Amino acid sequence: MTKRISFWAFLCLFSGFLLQAQTKVNLSDLSLPLMTTGYGKAVANKSIDRNPIRLNGKEYQGVGTHAESKFIVSLNGKAKRFSAWVGVDDEVGTRGSVVFVVTADGKELFRSPVMHGGDKPAKVDVQLKKVDTVVLEALSGNDGISSDHADWANAFFEMEEGKPAALPDCRIIEIGAGQTLLTLAMDKKNNLLQQYFGQQAGLESVFRNGEQKEQAYPTIQSNSRFTYWGEPALHVVHADGHTSTQLKYVNHETTNTDDNVTITVIHLKDDTYPFFVDLFYQTYKKENVMEQWSEIRHQEPQAVVVKEAASSALTLHARDYWLTQFTGDWANEFQIDEYPLTVGSKVLENKWGITSSNGRQQHFMISLGNKEPSETEGEVLAGSLAWSGNYRLQFEVATSGQLTVLSGMNPWSADYTLPAGKTYRTPALIYTYSTQGKGHASRNLHRWALNYNVREGNTALLRTIFNNWEATGMNTSDPVIIPFLKPAHDLGFELFLLDDGWFGLENKARVLGEWNSTPKMHPHGMTPIIEAAKETGIDFGLWVEMEMANPEARLVKEHPEWLLTEPDREHHLQRGQYVLDLANPDVQDFCIHAFNAILKTYPDISFVKWDCNSPFHNPYSQYLGKQQQHLWYEYTMGLYRVFNETVKANPDLQMMLCSAGGARCDYGALRYFHEFWTSDNTNPLRRVFIQWGSSHIFPAKVQGAHVTHMGKQPFKFAFDVAMSGCLGMDANPVTMSEKDRAITKRAVEVYKAKIRPVVQLGDIYRLVSPYKTNRSVVSYVSEARDKAVVFVYQVKNDNQGITVALQGLQPGKQYKVEEVNIDAPASAACAENGKTLSSKTLMEEGLHFNCSKQFDSASVYLSIVN
């Protein structure tokens, strides 16, 4: 009896091994979106028309498809055989004509006769031992594909081990940036298509909706594979006048710059003309950021006219799309508008010649899904065009539901005549993708900016600045300014910035284009002020506006061809100044030499604020002659040359961008600078909104935030707001009240000692929105997550305080809570001031603040307790 039981137990066990070793895997269980079809999509256990599979009156399970159909399956040599019944589904009656083919590692194993509706199914049973790849095809019977409803009935693979995997019927290029994946595909005609964009995923997810037919860099065209009549990424007029371009994939290469940065270059060529487009994708793995641009060249017998050339063309698929855009006006920059996109096109653009915060800006966020944008949840695409000239962002929702995001230089009045052999490069779109809401997307962009785009972004801390502008305007005379230096130093500021007005002619101050100190203000040059600053122990900085000239400047008379002025028209001079023509290399050289001469004459200048206060009011370049439409491009490229040469000559110089306030806040210019002047509006209440908006795209380290008396709001409130950026001050330190002096000294001291490293180098978490509540709460967490700062701003009256749960702290750690910038502990607004709390408590229960009246505020510093 014992032997019989043992025998049956062994038999059952052996049978189990056999079942495990030789398993059946139904064809319908594989990733059917990877099966190509001539019409519709392949369906599991249904016909192509979603009816039960029926062949010659009998019902089956299996896969319904439509000729021309192809399915590639990887077996890795682990399959034994493939079995199926094939035929044309009964739903088409006697119509249809299909040939079924099975090919293994390039060798045809089965081919059916031409099969029609109503025919008896044909049996497929092929051996697949040691086969790596099998291809299943349902081909048209040479009379078109009408009614070719093909069925693979009762189809399965018998595997010795493992599981078969479907493969796409195309070549693919995977471009990854950390958690993000962009997959491009080349079809049989070498069209380059965008297959997928989103979080990292396997082939099954990448092809879950089948092979896509959206061009990766679209041109208007029609062919057997797809048609495109939307806004093109590229529109050129060829040498023979032809306006159609059809780009085909040639090849690509991928290079790892280091273990974090990878660049992929995809080479495209028109199938008729010697016309070439190279698409560049530079990815940053740790930051989860992509940088994309294109380069255009040709070898046609005559020049080609580039009418439109986008930096990128991304296609998104979602149920709904919410656009976050940044609008405003002078002194009201970075205001947030959020709304759903509907079918049609939404265009954000600028035609000023310089980037401008007046109106719309070249940054955006797209939230995918049917919910309003969230800081912590949902899919978000965030992007910023790195360009300091005219730009255009277009968001086009098709009737079929996909969204195409086109970005690049504005093609308005910008046809570019491109000779053979010359390369036209578009600006770069910087973008990131997140599945964790807007906050995570912002942190990705910030970390990329600090690590790769902003000068000394992740190393040196920026100094606290004292500026004379709000106190003295353009009066920079020695007797006025020198008395400011010691009080500014005693308040704790590290750098004194002398603003507009120090330069000019011998008989007139403040003449743009004359970059020597004027005797009207400084009879002995800048030396007395600079020496006084050195003796005081405060660094010295200077304001310039190299791109402009006043009518009195000698260069206006000596080189009228250097000015942007329209011939035979009245000249409009904003602020009484001309814009110099930086498309002209001679003008670029003048700006470079004049700027470097200032630094050579006064080598102790360690900071420069570079301003630009006028757009193009008279957009005509004598240098460009008949190629006036090149102005918008060549000016910006000339500007970048000026920036680049001045930085190379003065590598240790700290520099701030300024342009009529915050009109040059872009990653194109920030490559050469440390920070920008966020806005001329220093009213702290308005700054809460301005800095909330700018934080969506830019890290706090690049945002100049100064305390002034604008708005006549409490000084403590003003400092709490400014400390969430790069702290500075514009005021009269001589006449300042003792109360304001005490608040200033206290705030500057705590900013330098505790807050500055966390704010300038940390990660932002926007916790409570001033757009949705009566207050704003933001926090910064150090990269090591061992320190944090929380800022609370009461923008309107409320009837109660607030409890705020923190984010981003280290799990399992204890943090000491310290409210700073207060007179005494009794003045603290934070109920937990002085306590040590776990990160779990801080992130789940939060901190409690008694802020309820307008202008109440709090700054709280947290540090890990070992």
Side-chain angles (χ1 to χ4, degrees), residues 427-533:
L429 179 71
I430 314 300
Y431 59 97
T432 185
Y433 168 83
S434 170
T435 59
Q436 302 170 51
K438 296 192 301 176
H440 184 249
S442 294
R443 291 187 288 277
N444 288 343
L445 289 177
H446 296 179
R447 190 54 54 193
W448 167 83
L450 294 176
N451 289 343
Y452 291 100
N453 193 81
V454 179
R455 286 182 61 198
E456 298 182 282
N458 60 3
T459 54
L461 296 173
L462 300 188
R463 292 167 287 182
T464 52
I465 298 172
F466 196 97
N467 193 330
N468 67 288
W469 176 254
E470 292 290 335
T472 72
M474 295 184 187
N475 185 355
T476 66
S477 64
D478 294 353
V480 171
I481 297 301
I482 289 177
F484 280 25
L485 299 175
K486 188 175 187 308
H489 170 268
D490 292 345
L491 289 170
F493 290 97
E494 297 154 312
L495 178 121
F496 186 89
L497 171 61
L498 187 66
D499 215 291
D500 193 349
W502 60 271
F503 50 91
L505 297 166
E506 288 190 5
N507 60 351
K508 186 175 182 180
R510 213 272 172 193
V511 178
L512 296 168
E514 297 289 343
W515 296 110
N516 296 301
S517 59
T518 172
K520 300 290 289 184
M521 293 288 175
H522 311 287
H524 303 291
M526 305 303 297
T527 301
I529 292 182
I530 294 174
E531 289 300 318

Side-chain angles (χ1 to χ4, degrees), residues 615-689:
F616 295 179
H617 285 294
N618 308 281
Y620 184 88
S621 165
Q622 293 188 48
Y623 172 78
L624 292 175
K626 293 183 178 181
Q627 293 184 326
Q628 290 303 308
Q629 296 195 20
H630 290 201
L631 174 61
W632 317 100
Y633 180 83
E634 297 293 357
Y635 182 97
T636 306
M637 298 304 287
L639 175 68
Y640 289 160
R641 175 177 175 252
V642 172
F643 286 165
N644 186 56
E645 292 300 320
T646 55
V647 169
K648 282 199 307 184
N650 307 281
D652 298 325
L653 184 69
Q654 184 180 329
M655 298 177 71
M656 172 193 280
L657 277 166
C658 182
S659 181
R664 201 173 258 168
C665 301
D666 67 84
Y667 279 126
L670 270 175
R671 289 193 296 265
Y672 310 99
F673 288 78
H674 295 79
E675 60 177 308
F676 56 63
W677 182 238
T678 316
S679 175
D680 280 342
N681 192 337
T682 53
N683 178 315
L685 187 60
R686 293 309 311 157
R687 269 301 186 112
V688 169
F689 290 87

Side-chain angles (χ1 to χ4, degrees), residues 353-373:
I354 59 172
T355 52
S356 173
S357 56
N358 295 309
R360 296 163 296 276
Q361 294 172 281
Q362 72 270 44
H363 329 294
F364 66 91
M365 288 187 171
I366 297 289
S367 299
L368 287 70
N370 58 359
K371 294 182 180 179
E372 291 189 25

Side-chain angles (χ1 to χ4, degrees), residues 130-404:
K130 296 185 180 181
V131 168
D132 286 325
T133 304
V134 66
V135 179
L136 309 180
E137 294 178 281
L139 307 176
S140 170
N142 295 324
D143 58 353
I145 64 171
S146 178
S147 301
D148 287 353
H149 295 203
D151 294 332
W152 296 90
N154 289 357
F156 65 89
F157 291 94
E158 186 176 324
M159 304 294 296
E160 293 181 343
E161 61 177 297
K163 183 180 178 182
L167 299 175
D169 183 25
C170 57
R171 293 164 294 165
I172 63 172
I173 303 172
E174 292 189 327
I175 301 171
Q179 303 162 9
T180 303
L181 177 64
L182 172 66
T183 302
L184 306 178
M186 291 77 73
D187 66 12
K188 293 295 182 290
K189 295 186 177 181
N190 285 325
N191 294 300
L192 183 69
L193 308 172
Q194 181 186 310
Q195 175 61 36
Y196 174 86
F197 178 74
Q199 66 180 339
Q200 284 283 357
L203 284 177
E204 187 168 345
S205 295
V206 168
F207 286 87
R208 67 178 179 271
N209 293 316
E211 290 186 22
Q212 300 302 298
K213 298 180 181 180
E214 286 102 12
Q215 299 174 81
Y217 198 68
T219 60
I220 294 177
Q221 58 176 290
S222 298
N223 58 52
S224 60
R225 281 280 292 156
F226 58 84
T227 60
Y228 184 81
W229 295 319
E231 186 68 25
L234 180 71
H235 179 202
V236 302
V237 179
H238 294 281
D240 62 1
H242 195 187
T243 62
S244 174
T245 300
Q246 294 193 11
L247 298 173
K248 303 295 183 180
Y249 169 84
V250 178
N251 56 38
H252 74 280
E253 63 265 357
T254 297
T255 304
N256 295 320
T257 304
D258 54 35
D259 60 357
N260 190 53
V261 181
T262 300
I263 185 165
T264 298
V265 186
I266 303 174
H267 304 287
L268 308 176
K269 181 188 176 299
D270 185 89
D271 59 0
T272 301
Y273 298 96
F275 180 87
F276 310 91
V277 175
D278 296 332
L279 303 182
F280 289 78
Y281 300 85
Q282 187 153 299
T283 62
Y284 304 84
K285 182 169 62 176
K286 295 177 183 176
E287 294 77 15
N288 197 39
V289 165
M290 293 190 180
E291 184 177 358
Q292 183 179 346
W293 70 93
S294 59
E295 293 185 0
I296 299 164
R297 54 194 169 82
H298 71 91
Q299 293 296 334
E300 298 189 26
Q302 294 178 337
V304 166
V305 177
V306 180
K307 302 185 76 66
E308 294 185 58
S311 303
S312 65
L314 289 171
T315 301
L316 307 175
H317 295 267
R319 180 175 177 181
D320 293 293
Y321 311 95
W322 283 76
L323 174 65
T324 299
Q325 75 170 89
F326 304 90
T327 60
D329 206 335
W330 175 78
N332 192 35
E333 297 86 353
F334 282 106
Q335 302 303 296
I336 292 177
D337 289 329
E338 293 182 323
Y339 48 87
L341 293 170
T342 56
V343 172
S345 292
K346 172 70 178 181
V347 175
L348 309 178
E349 61 181 349
N350 171 58
K351 300 171 183 172
W352 285 45
I354 59 172
T355 52
S356 173
S357 56
N358 295 309
R360 296 163 296 276
Q361 294 172 281
Q362 72 270 44
H363 329 294
F364 66 91
M365 288 187 171
I366 297 289
S367 299
L368 287 70
N370 58 359
K371 294 182 180 179
E372 291 189 25
S374 163
E375 283 291 320
T376 57
E377 297 178 340
E379 294 180 78
V380 175
L381 167 68
S384 179
L385 189 69
W387 184 241
S388 306
N390 290 352
Y391 59 83
R392 185 177 70 174
L393 304 173
Q394 178 166 321
F395 309 92
E396 186 170 11
V397 180
T399 54
S400 53
Q402 73 266 26
L403 168 65
T404 300

